[in-house]
Amino acid sequence: MEYFVGLVITILTLFVFNNFKKRRKNEEESNKDIDFDWTPDPLVDETKLKPNSVPETRSLIVNSKVGKWVEIDGRKMLNFASNNYLGFIENEYIIEEAKRSIFKYGVGSCGPRGFYGTVDVHLDLESRLCKFMNMESAIVYSYGFSTIASAIPAYAKKQDVIFADERVNFAIQRGIEASRSTVFYFKHNDFRHLESLIKSWDDSHQDKKSNSKIRKFLIVEGIYINSGKICPLPEMIEIRKKYQLRIFIDESISFGVLGKTGRGILEHFNIDNDDVDMIMASMEYALGTGGGFCVGSTFIVEHQRLAGLGYCFSASLPPFLAVAARAGIDVLDEEKDLTDRLSNRCNQLHDALSSSPVLKIYFDIESDAASPIKHLFLKEPFQLDSYDKEMSLLNEITFYCNNRQILITTAHYLVDKEYKPPRASIRLTVSVTTNSEDISKLISTLEEAANEIFT
């Protein structure tokens, strides 16, 4: 027995020793080919860079809360650049509610909703959204972009067809791309062009047996962030009924803005909830918090709890942001005049921009009066032959205003990735905290900037 054990130990020792020698020999041979003085190539070939080819970059450091006033690089500036439409960033009730929740829950949820990431405040918020929007069910995501980009491919699949406005935001474009559906973009807010595309597609597929299995989707925004225009939803609903489309609406900008009580574009046009399949929205605009939500029928919304990738695989919304969103809806529900005050400010800014004798010379204001987002596009005589040149010129105007304590910005797009990115523009935003004096100061500074730069 002892002889047998000794034999086994000897064999194992020789086996291990031989493997060690073989591995050592291989390492020595491989090291012969290694140049230890190797220097990595530069990521950018300096010889290909032309002088002044790299655009100038500016580092703007925010030193304060981003409310009506914001401190940037130590300078206090009047803010016309942030999407704080209802002034909730500075609302003391919302701030105190969020602070109390941090002491109770901490600052994170430490997991996706389906894996120990669901906190009671997430369920409370979903219930509150259902009640506020008068819908059967709601689902809350942790990130506004992923809400839109995940909800679309949860339903639209490779064999389906999507009709979308050509100015839809980048999150919608990403969702459409992820769905792998066939997509047709119709001209911005042109429901007649939409109908012609649907008719053309139906005519070319009416004899195919598989046509009955193909689902058709219509995707629009309540207020388009890339233009500031309101969707002509009544006409879209008529087309949806006529051609049996499923309609999804992104209300990221219109939620809390349109309608007598801020319930969005359905309330604005007095459209029945049953006429819409799903409403999607980011809470990072009017509500001034984080995350996003979808509301609709229980059958539609609950499907996302297993099919919405941004819901299933992302850590859930931090509880204090869910509490802030719920508190914001409470404020919106209780202060009945809040949306009226915002509407007055939107119209006031629109009238001031449209009636300025100086700005009318240089800019077109394409946005609707009721929109809190205003885009200023260069008029035809001052348009330049490239996006970069127009952006550079508009940046000069924003720098001029910023140097005079008026914070404005240009609209930025991923030009090489977005579908038909809009022309360069200055994008202005307004909130309920803005007053007449603020608007007058903005207009006079813009006029000074235009006269300085164009003449």
Side-chain angles (χ1 to χ4, degrees):
M1 183 66 181
E2 292 179 358
Y3 173 79
F4 177 76
V5 172
L7 182 62
V8 170
I9 294 174
T10 302
I11 293 172
L12 290 174
T13 302
L14 290 173
F15 178 77
V16 172
F17 180 74
N18 286 335
N19 278 346
F20 175 78
K21 284 181 65 179
K22 188 182 295 184
R23 188 165 64 248
R24 184 66 179 270
K25 184 178 179 181
N26 290 338
E27 288 177 358
E28 289 175 353
E29 290 178 355
S30 62
N31 286 339
K32 292 178 182 178
D33 299 327
I34 296 177
D35 181 6
F36 290 100
D37 294 327
W38 172 76
T39 302
D41 293 331
L43 293 176
V44 178
D45 187 353
E46 295 181 4
T47 60
K48 295 181 180 179
L49 290 177
K50 298 178 181 179
N52 302 320
S53 64
V54 180
E56 180 185 358
T57 58
R58 301 194 317 146
S59 177
L60 301 178
I61 300 174
V62 179
N63 311 116
S64 69
K65 188 182 298 181
V66 185
K68 174 180 176 177
W69 293 91
V70 58
E71 187 176 306
I72 296 181
D73 292 335
R75 293 183 301 146
K76 188 177 181 181
M77 305 173 76
L78 185 59
N79 187 3
F80 284 95
S82 299
N83 299 294
N84 182 31
Y85 314 137
L86 300 174
F88 284 174
I89 294 293
E90 299 170 292
N91 186 288
E92 289 300 323
Y93 167 71
I94 296 174
I95 293 171
E96 289 303 315
E97 287 292 296
K99 284 166 62 176
R100 274 197 291 269
S101 71
I102 291 175
F103 287 108
K104 182 176 181 180
Y105 300 103
V107 294
S109 58
C110 301
R113 287 289 301 273
F115 301 90
Y116 309 106
T118 295
V119 182
D120 55 356
V121 292
H122 294 131
L123 303 178
D124 292 342
L125 175 57
E126 289 174 345
S127 176
R128 189 74 181 86
L129 284 165
C130 288
K131 183 178 179 182
F132 183 77
M133 296 294 288
N134 193 27
M135 292 286 193
E136 287 183 5
S137 188
I139 184 171
V140 169
Y141 285 74
S142 56
Y143 180 35
F145 188 98
S146 66
T147 303
I148 316 301
S150 298
I152 294 169
Y155 303 97
K157 302 301 179 183
K158 187 175 182 180
Q159 73 276 9
D160 298 325
V161 179
I162 294 176
F163 298 92
D165 192 290
E166 66 181 5
R167 297 286 282 274
V168 291
N169 61 58
F170 191 50
I172 291 178
Q173 293 177 34
R174 278 303 195 206
I176 291 173
E177 183 180 342
S179 73
R180 299 185 297 164
S181 302
T182 301
V183 58
F184 296 95
Y185 286 101
F186 58 91
K187 296 176 183 177
H188 186 40
N189 268 355
D190 190 340
F191 52 87
R192 293 183 180 86
H193 185 226
L194 166 63
E195 186 167 18
S196 69
L197 289 177
I198 299 172
K199 282 182 178 179
S200 177
W201 189 89
D202 282 351
D203 290 344
S204 63
H205 288 75
Q206 60 182 352
D207 297 329
K208 295 185 178 181
K209 294 181 180 179
S210 61
N211 193 26
S212 60
K213 298 180 181 179
I214 297 176
R215 298 171 300 178
K216 293 176 288 187
F217 294 85
L218 172 60
I219 302 176
V220 295
E221 293 180 58
I223 296 178
Y224 289 88
I225 191 172
N226 290 343
S227 71
K229 286 186 173 294
I230 298 174
C231 173
L233 193 59
E235 290 81 2
M236 298 294 185
I237 294 296
E238 289 303 312
I239 292 173
R240 179 251 184 193
K241 292 178 179 177
K242 183 176 180 181
Y243 295 97
Q244 298 180 328
L245 278 70
R246 294 164 172 83
I247 184 168
F248 292 169
I249 305 175
D250 180 358
E251 292 227 56
S252 294
I253 308 302
S254 52
F255 177 79
V257 173
L258 294 182
K260 187 68 176 175
T261 59
R263 284 166 168 80
I265 195 167
L266 297 189
E267 184 180 47
H268 178 74
F269 285 115
N270 195 27
I271 293 174
D272 194 281
N273 289 356
D274 292 336
D275 289 334
V276 173
D277 293 283
M278 185 171 65
I279 289 174
M280 314 170 285
S282 169
M283 297 188 291
E284 296 158 13
Y285 293 90
L287 287 180
T289 181
F293 68 87
C294 298
V295 291
S297 67
T298 301
F299 176 78
I300 289 289
V301 170
E302 291 303 311
H303 173 70
Q304 293 180 58
R305 299 198 189 274
L306 293 177
L309 299 183
Y311 178 90
C312 295
F313 299 108
S314 297
S316 62
L317 183 67
F320 77 94
L321 292 179
V323 169
R326 186 183 62 189
I329 296 172
D330 290 340
V331 173
L332 192 56
D333 218 5
E334 292 169 6
E335 296 187 21
K336 304 298 184 184
D337 66 333
L338 193 58
T339 50
D340 282 339
R341 285 158 46 202
L342 175 59
S343 178
N344 290 336
R345 294 291 178 247
C346 293
N347 283 282
Q348 188 177 357
L349 176 58
H350 192 86
D351 292 342
L353 292 168
S354 303
S355 60
S356 167
V358 175
L359 299 182
K360 284 196 296 185
I361 297 173
Y362 304 110
F363 295 105
D364 284 322
I365 298 98
E366 296 184 3
S367 309
D368 286 330
S371 170
I373 292 177
K374 313 293 181 186
H375 284 267
L376 306 185
F377 297 91
L378 290 173
K379 276 185 177 290
E380 186 174 351
F382 306 97
Q383 292 175 13
L384 301 176
D385 57 3
S386 75
Y387 176 90
D388 290 338
K389 289 181 180 178
E390 285 200 348
M391 180 62 77
S392 179
L393 181 62
L394 294 175
N395 278 333
E396 288 187 44
I397 296 175
T398 63
F399 296 161
Y400 183 98
C401 294
N402 294 348
N403 289 332
R404 284 150 184 80
Q405 296 180 291
I406 301 291
L407 181 61
I408 63 173
T409 185
T410 48
H412 291 273
Y413 307 99
L414 299 174
V415 179
D416 58 335
K417 294 183 179 180
E418 296 197 33
Y419 176 81
K420 284 190 177 179
R423 284 179 47 228
S425 66
I426 293 174
R427 190 179 71 188
L428 306 173
T429 59
V430 67
S431 78
V432 293
T433 60
T434 308
N435 57 38
S436 302
E437 183 181 345
D438 301 330
I439 292 175
S440 297
K441 189 174 181 180
L442 168 67
I443 298 300
S444 63
T445 308
L446 279 171
E447 289 175 342
E448 291 173 12
N451 284 328
E452 174 77 19
I453 290 164
F454 287 107
T455 57

